[in-house]
Amino acid sequence: MTIRPSFLWGASTSAFQIEGAAHLDGRADSIWDVFLRAPGRTKTNDTAETACDHYHRYAGDVVLMQELGLNAYRFSISWPRVLPQGRGAANEAGLAFYDRLIDALLAAEIEPWLCLYHWDLPQALEALGGWQNRDIAGWFADYTALVARRYGDRVKRFATFNEPCVFTLFGYGLGWHAPGVADKTALHKAIHHVNLSHGRAVDVLRKDVAGASIGAIHNRQPCYPCTSKPADAAAALRLAAYWNDAFPFPQAFASYPPELAEAVAPFVAPGDMAQIARPVDWFGLNHYSPHYVRADTNLIGASFGPAPDTVPRSAIGWPVVPGAFRDTLLDIHQRFQLPIYVLENGTAAADVLGNDSQIHDVDRIAYLKAYTAAMEQAVKEGADVRGYFVWSLLDNFEWGAGYSQRFGIVYVDHTTQRRIPKASARWYADMIAAHRTSDGSYNRAED
Ligand code: FCB
């Protein structure tokens, strides 16, 4: 057995993508609600007003998780649901929703993994500059304290940020995601203020939650040049600095990667780097595919190019390269020397609801098989991987792609909200069952 019996097999979701109830019980706008009001943000102008209606259907969704045999579940808190203005008065109705969810998870013996920030900044804070305003480190620390004190008696696993590289680059650099800003200075300010907020949140969690197990969630993958041209090779290095290193490096080593140091320097105050590099307990990895990169005239001088024709691709064109997952796990292990939790991995597939009311998602099963085998290979080679969370439990609101991309192992009919576990859900349940301890129970992870 290379996979430890105490291994966590989970699924991940995020608040904005599944909860719905966007303006119920006191929740205020996030930057994504506002962003989506402009036409053309998704192909069919989708919104997340209802999403998977998880706000009302969470109990049934926990039953689904239990039926699959999950022993961990990662969700995020919607900041504007619990603090509608981002700071100041808390919203009791919003806080109570997560009480209900956490209690249901614990009753089902599913360990809750709470992520503080999965991209849905309160619009009220964006109006004050959002991640470009240095004061946000204090606002984020206060929000963290509210969450820690409310749930820290029952939740021990805390992630500060989900994929800071994506929401800063796409939200403040390239303008593709909320809040839709495309500006180099904005991007560099946002990068530094998110790092600072991470460090402040780690301090708060350590102080307020006894036995907290803390990390951040990074999207990380090899960045290969599209061609052998030197300009593409240089572009790949630049993208890798923004994508792979802009957050893990300062958080682990108290310095920015050389490619970014000069650009970020004007925003770094004395003491910041030590505040950012607070020790954490694990490295959270989200991984889907490698990037193929080419030189561009955009503000980072690099863009996402096509994979070579020989590389297999998923239904939405993402390269399928399990070896890159193995390489990434080993690279993280060597560089950061931390236990690793894979907190997102999965694929969108061309899911069709058959006449038999089933979804035979063989391509998703093939992907998951190949990627979990690559993970097992990395474990054999020494990577300290302690958990695997599939993205995602449910077909959900996939940001700029709206409802057009289905990443769930459970199919969601977005008109009726009916849930149908796909063939991949049964495959995942079987694999989890095969890794149960000999007495049939689950052990918690050892750390
Ligand atoms: C990741 C995000 C997640 C989802 C998947 C497909 O970048 O963290 O919310 O969109 O990609």
Side-chain angles (χ1 to χ4, degrees), residues 111-162:
E111 183 175 60
W113 281 61
L114 187 159
C115 177
L116 285 158
Y117 190 80
H118 200 127
W119 306 1
D120 46 355
L121 184 73
Q123 176 63 25
L125 297 185
E126 181 57 30
L128 302 174
W131 295 108
Q132 295 185 68
N133 185 338
R134 189 180 164 92
D135 291 345
I136 200 162
W139 305 333
F140 191 69
D142 292 344
Y143 158 61
T144 302
L146 174 74
V147 171
R149 287 174 198 158
R150 178 80 177 212
Y151 310 116
D153 57 336
R154 289 157 289 163
V155 178
K156 299 298 169 191
R157 306 290 201 157
F158 287 90
T160 54
F161 285 92
N162 175 72

Side-chain angles (χ1 to χ4, degrees), residues 12-14 17 74 118-119 162-163 166-167 170 177 217 219 243 286-288 316 318 343-348 391-392 396-400 405 407:
S12 292
T13 62
S14 87
Q17 293 177 274
R74 173 191 149 208
H118 200 127
W119 306 1
N162 175 72
E163 298 189 356
V166 176
F167 77 80
F170 289 5
H177 278 186
I217 306 167
N219 189 307
W243 198 277
N286 291 355
H287 179 98
Y288 293 88
I316 55 166
W318 291 13
L343 291 173
E344 282 185 28
N345 175 245
T347 187
W391 183 273
S392 184
N396 57 44
F397 180 83
E398 182 46 42
W399 309 114
Q405 296 182 357
F407 273 88

Side-chain angles (χ1 to χ4, degrees), residues 19-370:
E19 284 178 4
H23 296 94
L24 209 69
D25 294 345
R27 181 188 176 282
D29 273 346
S30 74
I31 51 175
W32 269 95
D33 296 285
V34 173
F35 184 72
L36 292 170
R37 276 181 207 137
R41 300 298 198 190
T42 70
K43 240 191 254 162
T44 46
N45 294 317
D46 297 333
T47 75
E49 285 291 321
T50 309
C52 303
D53 197 28
H54 175 73
Y55 187 77
H56 295 112
R57 293 166 194 264
Y58 73 91
D61 291 338
V62 172
V63 171
L64 276 172
M65 296 176 213
Q66 204 174 13
E67 283 168 1
L68 295 177
L70 305 190
N71 57 352
Y73 170 65
R74 173 191 149 208
F75 63 99
S76 74
I77 302 276
S78 159
W79 187 348
R81 193 181 292 291
V82 299
L83 271 175
Q85 298 309 306
R87 54 193 183 143
N91 176 28
E92 177 53 36
L95 287 164
F97 166 66
Y98 298 104
D99 280 330
R100 294 194 291 278
L101 172 63
I102 291 164
D103 291 345
L105 290 166
L106 292 173
E109 292 188 52
I110 297 169
E111 183 175 60
W113 281 61
L114 187 159
C115 177
L116 285 158
Y117 190 80
H118 200 127
W119 306 1
D120 46 355
L121 184 73
Q123 176 63 25
L125 297 185
E126 181 57 30
L128 302 174
W131 295 108
Q132 295 185 68
N133 185 338
R134 189 180 164 92
D135 291 345
I136 200 162
W139 305 333
F140 191 69
D142 292 344
Y143 158 61
T144 302
L146 174 74
V147 171
R149 287 174 198 158
R150 178 80 177 212
Y151 310 116
D153 57 336
R154 289 157 289 163
V155 178
K156 299 298 169 191
R157 306 290 201 157
F158 287 90
T160 54
F161 285 92
N162 175 72
E163 298 189 356
C165 67
V166 176
F167 77 80
T168 53
L169 183 59
F170 289 5
Y172 291 89
L174 300 173
W176 301 343
H177 278 186
V181 176
D183 178 83
K184 210 167 183 168
T185 306
L187 169 63
H188 294 133
K189 278 186 184 168
I191 288 174
H192 186 61
H193 298 151
V194 170
N195 273 320
L196 205 53
S197 303
H198 160 84
R200 292 282 302 274
V202 174
D203 283 353
V204 170
L205 291 165
R206 290 266 180 249
K207 184 166 88 44
D208 287 349
V209 181
S213 172
I214 307 167
I217 306 167
H218 301 292
N219 189 307
R220 206 173 162 82
Q221 61 234 301
C223 294
Y224 306 128
C226 272
T227 69
S228 55
K229 289 185 206 147
D232 287 343
L237 290 178
R238 267 196 307 278
L239 183 67
Y242 283 98
W243 198 277
N244 288 333
D245 300 338
F247 298 91
F249 269 46
Q251 292 175 16
F253 311 125
S255 65
Y256 279 97
E259 294 85 350
L260 299 187
E262 203 179 306
V264 179
F267 315 113
V268 180
D272 280 5
M273 298 316 292
Q275 173 65 70
I276 290 169
R278 295 298 201 237
V280 293
D281 302 299
W282 41 266
F283 191 106
L285 171 68
N286 291 355
H287 179 98
Y288 293 88
S289 337
H291 284 323
Y292 295 85
V293 188
R294 62 180 169 206
D296 196 310
T297 52
N298 66 9
L299 56 78
I300 59 163
S303 63
F304 305 99
D309 290 343
T310 48
V311 174
R313 276 162 245 208
S314 71
I316 55 166
W318 291 13
V320 178
V321 188
F325 185 35
R326 169 197 161 273
D327 295 349
T328 301
L329 288 166
L330 288 167
D331 179 66
I332 292 169
H333 174 67
Q334 278 144 19
R335 277 179 207 268
F336 300 101
Q337 304 281 319
L338 282 169
I340 302 168
Y341 288 93
V342 176
L343 291 173
E344 282 185 28
N345 175 245
T347 187
D351 298 330
V352 182
L353 184 60
N355 291 335
D356 56 355
S357 294
Q358 300 293 312
I359 298 92
H360 303 280
D361 53 341
V362 286
D363 37 0
R364 180 175 290 101
I365 294 175
Y367 177 99
L368 294 175
K369 263 189 194 164

